[in-house]
Each structure stands twice: as C-alpha cells, then as structure tokens.
Amino acid sequence: MSLDFPLIYTPGGPGLECSPASAKKTRYSRPMRTIIAILLLETSLGCGSKQQPPPAEPIGETRKPAPSAKPQNQKPGDNPSQSNINISDEIKKACGITDAEAFFAFDSANVRPEDQAIFGKLAKCFASGPLSGKNMQLVGHADPRGEDEYNMLLGERRAGNVKTAISGAGLGKDKILTTSRGKLDATGTDEASWAKDRRVDVQVAH
C-alpha cells in the first residue's frame, strides 16, 4: 500500500489523525510505516461509518388473540322444527276448524297428511274464503329455559317453519306475517309443560 503523503504524528497529541495536517513530521522505518498504515486504514474506516445497534426486543409476551367462542345450543333437545299449532277461536269459527284440528303437534321435517289437510283449510279460508280480506299472523313461542335473545330466535324460526308449510298449501307468503314472543308467555316447569310452551299461535292480523 502506498501513501501520497508522509505519515504524521503529533507529539503530545491523541495519536494518529485521519488526514494529513500541518504538524511536525516524523519519518519511521518501513516496518513501522506498514503498521501505522494499517492503523490509519482502520481509523479511516471507523471515521466513515458507525455500526447500528440491533433493534430492541419486544418487552413482555406477545399473545395471539383468543379465538371467538362458537355459539352453542343453549337448550339441548329443543328443535325449532317441532311445534304445537294453536289456532285462535276467531279462525276456528270463520274457517270451520274443529276443536280437534285447532291444536296439534307439528314437525316441519315430517309433515303428516292430516297436518297438510288443516293447513289447506287455513290457506283456502284466507285466500278465497271468509278471511280473504285479512292477513294471517303467526306468533312463535319458546319454553322458559335459556337466554331471552336465543328464545326470540327460536320463536321466529318456529313461526317461519309453519309459514312455509301454509304457503305450500296455497296461501301467498305476502298474506302471512310472522313474529316471536320468545319465552315471554312461557309457564312450563317440566318437560311436559315446556312442550306446550313451544308453540305457534295462528291468528288473524289486526
């Protein structure tokens, strides 16, 4: 390695400088000059760049967000496709529905011929019979177990399943209104009475 300027040492100073400055010049032997040249190179590199510190590690544990809980069935064995159908006295009188036909167990997953016959009477009565100028109101109910919001949903699903059956019997869906009262009217205290709470009231909409 060759230098275009003589190596400079300032007596009493801090040591070698990064650039030739005007000062008292001292000449060294070749081995010493080689050593000083190496030191000068390392010093010049140190003058031009500084090593950046590594990024700080995060403090504390990094926790992943807990997975959201999946909704669970709050009432095992309670199937909204299964309801008791309760037809109001007003409809019974207007449509010729007997007392035996006015209250019956219904399963939308397995509609029996006798169920279909009663729905047919209701559809004809509201479509072209004595109640043709009226709309039908279906009110879904649930038993008293579980949360209010969950039971309101069960009641709505029950009413919706009955609406599908009656519209399939010939009454337009626009003539059938649905609503839910959840467990607001529930009075049951055991399985037998809870089953009666799980019903759909069929009424004339006023």
Side-chain angles (χ1 to χ4, degrees):
M1 176 179 180
S2 63
L3 299 173
D4 295 334
F5 53 85
L7 297 174
I8 301 171
Y9 170 74
T10 305
L16 297 173
E17 296 182 357
C18 291
S19 60
S22 57
K24 183 179 179 180
K25 299 179 181 179
T26 304
R27 296 189 176 277
Y28 299 94
S29 62
R30 183 175 295 276
M32 182 59 70
R33 291 181 64 184
T34 301
I35 294 173
I36 294 174
I38 294 173
L39 292 175
L40 264 179
L41 178 61
E42 292 178 352
T43 304
S44 65
L45 290 176
C47 292
S49 62
K50 292 184 179 179
Q51 186 175 2
Q52 297 295 328
E57 294 292 332
I59 300 174
E61 296 183 4
T62 303
R63 297 183 178 180
K64 295 182 179 179
S68 57
K70 295 182 179 180
Q72 297 179 354
N73 185 355
Q74 301 180 38
K75 301 164 69 173
D78 187 353
N79 188 343
S81 68
Q82 299 174 351
S83 310
N84 284 303
I85 306 299
N86 181 38
I87 301 174
S88 71
D89 290 340
E90 183 181 4
I91 294 177
K92 285 167 54 180
K93 182 178 180 180
C95 303
I97 304 293
T98 67
D99 290 340
E101 295 172 326
F103 190 87
F104 62 95
F106 170 68
D107 185 349
S108 61
N110 183 25
V111 181
R112 300 170 302 179
E114 53 266 38
D115 301 339
Q116 191 65 34
I118 298 171
F119 291 147
K121 282 186 178 182
L122 290 171
K124 184 177 180 180
C125 184
F126 277 84
S128 57
L131 297 178
S132 59
K134 304 285 186 178
N135 288 331
M136 182 184 297
Q137 178 83 58
L138 302 178
V139 184
H141 298 267
D143 67 47
R145 299 174 298 156
E147 299 295 329
D148 292 345
E149 184 177 357
Y150 183 77
N151 282 301
M152 292 298 287
L153 177 61
L154 283 178
E156 184 62 39
R157 291 179 63 186
R158 282 197 169 90
N161 287 332
V162 175
K163 176 178 180 177
T164 299
I166 296 177
S167 65
L171 183 61
K173 290 185 177 181
D174 59 326
K175 296 273 292 180
I176 308 172
L177 310 179
T178 62
T179 189
S180 173
R181 286 188 58 81
K183 66 178 183 179
L184 294 176
D185 304 318
T187 59
T189 56
D190 55 23
E191 183 54 45
S193 53
W194 291 338
K196 292 180 180 180
D197 287 332
R198 299 191 289 264
R199 71 182 188 278
V200 174
D201 295 332
V202 183
Q203 305 170 347
V204 177
H206 294 288

